[in-house]
DNA sequence: ATCACTCTACTTACTGGTTAGTAAGGTGTC
DNA sequence: GACACCTTACTAACCAGTAAGTAGAGTGAT
């Protein structure tokens, strides 16, 4: 149990918060330690003190997403599939409403070939977890006879996830597209908006 | 009508070809004039001679996409909707098979907030054209009674386009996802693979 | 209680590399 | 000799990352 001061923990969290905002609006390659340090009111080297290399910061960001998404799944585990679907939609909306952020998986896959391997590995795990959650909703929806669709739950989950990822990006061009896609997914699953 | 030498036209085309490859694999912010000039075997300033600012190069790239996509639509205009759908799928496949490239609209929307306004405007127009084509396929498919789906053709087109855009990106994590999504779209439209 | 010491969380000051972009000069072709 | 198409040589800004120093808070011995 190593003691970490409150100041350190707080600064570290604030760095992650600022970096997250920059990641989801500008992408990993288009933000610098300067952006973070000036937003935080400290010097460049202070950021390097907490996250020596930018790769460390990237890995920490994705790991935090994974912990957060694990808590999200846990909180929604006992809900029925229709509520889980709406919860998934709300998560998507929440991104866009905050500075037109997009889903982290969209950033990570688009910039994939330019990312350090350590971040790629975390991204793989994170995205697999998100895709699996979409598939789980589709599977439970069919098992509990509240969703009706052709094909396998796996395929339906992939389409739902891919459409929301793409939809979030396209919403930057046309904000209305996100609602259209959410409603069409409901229609394709033959469910009513709850 | 200003005369342009063959050498110039050729170099200009080769710059665009290299830049396109870099754009679709690395993104606009993650490639430089150095990347292009070294791949082309010329000096940095030679690229600036043809495209003074990087913005000029970006605009030229998107405009070329638009011309190319216009020709694509013209070539497929007289086909039946099922063939148009498969043509759309083939276009998607072609991107991925070439160095895991993704759809330009995925790059442009993901990096949107970091792009110069001139490129944003071209991107808006290009993406609108691609989305409209997807909607046209969905509309004609229903009108000619070869596709069956809930919701409006507009909504179905948006979901198809967004799912393919997201699917291309996710294919970098799991190559199989693209085929899964294509087949699920066929199933959702109640059409057979042609 | 106070001096000596240690540690955290920074700062200042820097390096070497990369970036887009430019100015001026050269060379071959019509 | 005019022009297209390049080159060499450069600038200023930015990038990630580092080395060395410091202020202040806490600790421990006397």
């Amino acid at each position: 149990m190593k003691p970490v001061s409150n100041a350190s923990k707080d600064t570290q969290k604030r760095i992650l918060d600022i970096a997250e905002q920059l990641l989801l609006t500008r992408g990993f390659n288009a933000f610098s330690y300067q952006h973070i340090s000036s937003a935080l009111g400290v010097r460049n080297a202070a950021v390097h003190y907490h996250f020596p290399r930018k790769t460390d910061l990237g890995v920490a960001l994705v790991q935090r997403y994974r912990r957060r998404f694990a808590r999200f799944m846990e909180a929604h585990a006992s809900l029925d599939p229709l509520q889980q679907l709406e919860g998934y939609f709300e998560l998507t909306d929440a991104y866009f409403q905050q500075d037109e952020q997009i889903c982290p998986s969209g950033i990570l896959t688009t910039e994939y070939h330019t990312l350090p391997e350590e971040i790629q590995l975390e991204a793989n795990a994170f995205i697999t977890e998100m895709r699996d959650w979409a598939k789980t909703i589709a599977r439970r929806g069919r098992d509990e006879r509240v969703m009706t669709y052709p094909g396998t739950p796996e395929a339906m989950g992939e389409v739902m996830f891919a459409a929301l990822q793409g939809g979030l990006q396209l919403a930057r061009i046309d904000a209305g597209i996100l609602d259209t896609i959410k409603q069409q997914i409901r229609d394709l699953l033959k469910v009513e908006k709850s």
Side-chain angles (χ1 to χ4, degrees), chain A residues 41-153:
Chain A
V42 296
R43 294 299 179 160
N44 214 337
V47 185
H48 278 285
Y49 171 78
H50 291 283
F51 300 95
R53 298 166 306 142
K54 201 181 176 187
T55 301
D56 300 323
L57 177 58
V59 168
L61 274 176
V62 183
Q63 284 176 343
R64 192 168 77 157
Y65 279 127
R66 292 182 65 190
R67 287 195 300 273
R68 210 184 278 169
F69 191 66
R71 284 199 300 274
F72 173 86
M73 286 191 291
E74 209 180 343
H76 289 70
S78 61
L79 298 179
D80 71 74
L82 295 180
Q83 288 173 310
Q84 286 176 338
L85 181 71
E86 294 300 323
Y88 212 48
F89 286 166
E90 282 162 23
L91 192 65
T92 306
D93 279 336
Y95 280 122
F96 185 69
Q97 272 154 27
Q98 193 174 344
D99 305 302
E100 299 195 336
Q101 290 179 2
I102 64 172
C103 173
S105 109
I107 293 280
L108 296 168
T109 50
T110 298
E111 294 190 302
Y112 198 74
H113 293 305
T114 69
L115 295 177
E117 199 185 339
E118 295 158 73
I119 301 183
Q120 288 182 350
L121 292 175
E122 283 295 326
N124 288 351
F126 176 47
I127 291 166
T128 300
E129 286 153 12
M130 295 188 79
R131 285 165 61 202
D132 284 348
W133 179 244
K135 294 176 196 173
T136 299
I137 295 176
R139 172 166 293 286
R140 284 196 52 206
R142 171 174 288 175
D143 286 350
E144 302 179 19
R145 298 173 202 286
V146 291
M147 295 177 184
T148 306
Y149 53 86
T152 65

Side-chain angles (χ1 to χ4, degrees), chain A residues 10-59:
Chain A
D10 188 62
T11 303
Q12 221 170 95
K13 184 189 176 302
R14 281 160 70 192
I15 290 171
L16 284 172
D17 288 343
I18 294 165
E20 177 178 331
Q21 154 83 13
L22 289 164
L23 179 74
L24 298 192
T25 53
R26 301 181 54 87
F28 189 74
N29 293 309
F31 80 83
S32 71
Y33 272 36
Q34 263 87 333
H35 285 114
I36 298 172
S37 58
S38 71
L40 197 58
V42 296
R43 294 299 179 160
N44 214 337
V47 185
H48 278 285
Y49 171 78
H50 291 283
F51 300 95
R53 298 166 306 142
K54 201 181 176 187
T55 301
D56 300 323
L57 177 58
V59 168

